[in-house]
Amino acid sequence: MSIYKELKRECYEANMQLDALELVVYTFGNVSAVDRDRGIFAIKPSGVPYELLKPEDIVILDYDANVIEGNLRPSSDTKTHAYLYKNWENIGGISHTHAIYSVAWAQAQMDIPIFGTTHADHLTSDIPCAPPMRDDLIEGNYEYNTGIQILDCFREKQLSYEEVEMVLIGNHGPFTWGKNAEKAVYNSKVLETVAQMAYLTRQINPDAPRLKDSLIKKHYERKHGKNAYYGQ
């Protein structure tokens, strides 16, 4: 029996949630879960249909994307996950999807404006879109460089990965993260919902204004502030 059984189970269940929430198409998309004490993470194997996926199929790797346990090839996005885990020590799970509205905004190379309180319940800024990758980086270690692309975007926009747990990669799609794999998937669904709402808002009123600062502050702080009162 694998010593990584529980980590594999967490990763498997998170990946199955991606499918259940209709955030993936065919075998596209992946979730990983990290074990900080061991310095390893678990990720979905590449190209395995969700209906055939089993907990024992999950691949275990270190932060340099070296396989520690598993007989299947890990997700093609593994090096991106590894780079984020290595550089952002306070994340416990990462999710990548090809969800339609999130991808549409990424293909448009646009940040998602903060139009309403659903968005403000989760963050106080627009959802950032990293610019498309440079040609020399595309021709190089592409998935590893995607991790660099994400960190560069957050540095340039002066964003905290602990406050903004999602990003769009220009012409590619969304990555989200959180304290564990379950939260990363939650953030993927939130991102897709907000992306759809923002798209429809622009269709109804192309000149729709950004949510005013007082409402952004109120809705974010009632869930995340020191005197938060949302939920149990």
Side-chain angles (χ1 to χ4, degrees), residues 77-228:
D77 296 298
T78 292
K79 289 183 179 179
T80 306
H81 291 244
Y83 189 88
L84 295 181
Y85 285 131
K86 195 169 187 177
N87 286 275
W88 286 347
E89 62 183 19
N90 292 326
I91 58 176
I94 299 168
S95 173
H96 171 56
T97 79
H98 289 250
I100 293 172
Y101 287 91
S102 301
V103 169
W105 281 91
Q107 290 179 169
Q109 301 178 28
M110 293 179 65
D111 295 352
I112 301 177
I114 183 166
F115 283 132
T117 59
T118 306
H119 187 145
D121 281 338
H122 296 87
L123 61 162
T124 60
S125 66
D126 295 349
I127 297 168
C129 182
M133 191 180 290
R134 300 196 320 263
D135 288 348
D136 60 311
L137 297 180
I138 293 170
E139 294 167 4
N141 194 344
Y142 176 67
E143 289 79 16
Y144 180 88
N145 290 337
T146 300
I148 295 175
Q149 189 181 9
I150 293 170
L151 262 69
D152 284 348
C153 173
F154 270 62
R155 189 177 303 112
E156 289 165 8
K157 293 179 181 289
Q158 298 183 316
L159 297 172
S160 164
Y161 75 90
E162 294 178 273
E163 294 179 7
V164 180
E165 296 181 323
M166 54 191 70
V167 69
L168 303 174
I169 304 297
N171 296 130
H172 184 179
F175 280 85
T176 65
W177 49 87
K179 63 182 180 181
N180 52 36
E182 181 182 14
K183 183 62 186 303
V185 172
Y186 172 89
N187 285 335
S188 287
K189 185 62 176 180
V190 167
L191 172 53
E192 177 63 4
T193 302
V194 169
Q196 183 176 8
M197 289 175 173
Y199 168 79
L200 293 172
T201 300
R202 278 276 172 88
Q203 297 305 301
I204 296 167
N205 179 6
D207 299 317
R210 190 174 188 270
L211 186 65
K212 59 183 183 179
D213 289 343
S214 57
L215 274 173
I216 293 173
K217 184 174 186 291
K218 179 65 175 179
H219 271 262
Y220 187 80
E221 291 190 351
R222 73 177 190 154
K223 287 189 78 170
H224 307 284
K226 64 179 181 179
N227 296 315

